[in-house]
Amino acid sequence: MKRKHQKTLQLIFSRPVSGNIKWHDIEALFVELGAEISEREGSRIGVRLFNDRRVFHRPHPSPNTDKGAVASIRQWLKENEVTP
């Protein structure tokens, strides 16, 4: 895994939950892990990873991911044994 993706993964698992993680970095991490990303209505995207499908909302106008989404992503990664 590239250093950039490792850094994003560490930010996702940091405590307290970070509100400064750029969404495009999280999407890039998903792709690095083997995800298929599909566009949905509005600013939603579908992520197929770990034989599971999740729908996320791209943040706007700010590029930063909100803390609730980061916590949800952390839990999903943790359940599938992806940790920094």
Side-chain angles (χ1 to χ4, degrees), residues 24-41:
H24 62 84
D25 292 340
I26 292 175
E27 265 189 67
L29 174 63
F30 287 157
V31 170
E32 176 72 15
L33 293 172
E36 294 175 21
I37 296 180
S38 59
E39 298 294 325
R40 298 285 183 109
E41 288 184 25

Side-chain angles (χ1 to χ4, degrees), residues 2 12 14-15 17 20 22 27-28 31-32 40 42 47 56 62-63 67 75 78:
K2 293 182 181 178
I12 291 170
S14 67
R15 296 279 187 183
V17 176
N20 293 324
K22 304 285 186 227
E27 265 189 67
V31 170
E32 176 72 15
R40 298 285 183 109
V47 179
F56 294 100
S62 171
K67 293 179 180 185
Q75 184 61 36
K78 191 175 179 180

Side-chain angles (χ1 to χ4, degrees), residues 32-81:
E32 176 72 15
L33 293 172
E36 294 175 21
I37 296 180
S38 59
E39 298 294 325
R40 298 285 183 109
E41 288 184 25
S43 57
R44 291 180 188 85
I45 63 162
V47 179
R48 185 180 183 112
L49 183 62
F50 312 122
N51 291 323
D52 192 8
R53 183 168 296 191
R54 301 282 172 110
V55 176
F56 294 100
H57 185 270
R58 280 190 180 122
H60 58 83
S62 171
N64 294 333
T65 310
D66 68 70
K67 293 179 180 185
V70 173
S72 173
I73 291 166
R74 177 189 325 162
Q75 184 61 36
W76 190 36
L77 293 174
K78 191 175 179 180
E79 287 170 1
N80 290 283
E81 301 177 2

Side-chain angles (χ1 to χ4, degrees), residues 1-10 28-29 32-33:
M1 185 179 293
K2 293 182 181 178
R3 183 180 210 110
K4 176 183 175 182
H5 302 306
Q6 277 285 33
K7 184 177 178 181
T8 303
L9 194 57
Q10 288 173 346
L29 174 63
E32 176 72 15
L33 293 172

